[in-house]
Amino acid sequence: MASDRPHRAPAVPTGGAPDVAVLVGLQASGKSAFRERCLSGRHEPVGKDLMPRAARRKQDRQMRLVHEALSSGRPVAVDNTNPSPEEWRPLLAAGHTHGATVTAYWFPPDLPGSLARNALRQGRHRVPDVAIHATVKRLRRPSRADGFDAVREVRFDGRGGFLVRSLTRDD
């Protein structure tokens, strides 16, 4: 059984192997804020939104950055929506190829909340509402059965931080 507990910095797996943190959730669900507050300094950030807007072949570039970090023994946080196994499979394969643990950080969908937070965004950070609606249709909760070594659920704590709980196979 998992327990709710406030978390500022989730434990990084020990044992020398780097970790691949795969953030899974809607746009404007708190993934980037969580990465910045809880994983920065521990995980190298990688994500298509972190690349120049005009960058080509973003998926190939992202996977190259993941492989480079893991080859150097650095943990990496992949900050995209990552809504389905189609997006997870290459990240799982890369992590396991390099002997890394792969942890999914699941941000359960709150469509009205994401739409409201998105409406407050400025410039390139704001996405069309239709993109959030399209993502929610594809969004699937990750599980250990998908190949993740761990799955953690992340929710806002109502005080500017996050609640993180480990999910078991039965959750």
Side-chain angles (χ1 to χ4, degrees):
M1 180 171 159
S3 63
D4 288 341
R5 58 191 165 112
H7 239 262
R8 284 264 176 221
V12 175
T14 58
D19 182 52
V20 178
V22 180
L23 282 55
V24 180
L26 293 177
Q27 298 91 331
S29 64
K31 296 180 309 298
S32 295
F34 175 78
R35 176 188 51 79
E36 290 169 4
R37 293 180 196 161
C38 301
L39 300 177
S40 71
R42 296 178 179 208
H43 289 70
E44 187 168 315
V46 175
K48 295 172 189 171
D49 287 346
L50 301 172
M51 297 176 190
R53 181 157 254 167
R56 295 180 183 208
R57 302 175 55 96
K58 288 184 179 183
Q59 177 65 22
D60 292 341
R61 187 175 183 174
Q62 174 178 277
M63 292 309 300
R64 182 176 41 80
L65 293 170
V66 168
H67 282 287
E68 287 173 2
L70 294 174
S71 293
S72 298
R74 296 186 317 270
V76 66
V78 183
D79 185 359
N80 296 317
T81 57
N82 298 309
S84 71
E86 181 180 331
E87 289 81 15
W88 310 334
R89 283 187 196 105
L91 299 169
L92 286 159
H96 291 143
T97 295
H98 290 279
T101 58
V102 184
T103 303
Y105 288 89
W106 165 241
F107 294 74
D110 169 14
L111 184 58
S114 287
L115 291 168
R117 284 185 294 277
N118 184 56
L120 298 173
R121 290 177 164 183
Q122 303 276 325
R124 82 175 270 194
H125 298 290
R126 189 175 193 294
V127 298
D129 288 353
V130 68
I132 298 173
H133 286 281
T135 302
V136 78
K137 290 178 184 174
R138 296 184 54 230
L139 188 64
R140 198 183 119 227
R141 185 179 110 167
S143 72
R144 292 188 55 145
D146 293 310
F148 289 101
D149 298 296
V151 179
R152 295 187 175 129
E153 179 181 272
V154 182
R155 294 184 182 269
F156 292 111
D157 69 3
R159 298 181 309 273
F162 298 92
L163 293 172
V164 177
R165 72 179 186 124
S166 293
L167 298 179
T168 64
R169 293 186 191 272
D170 298 331
D171 285 336

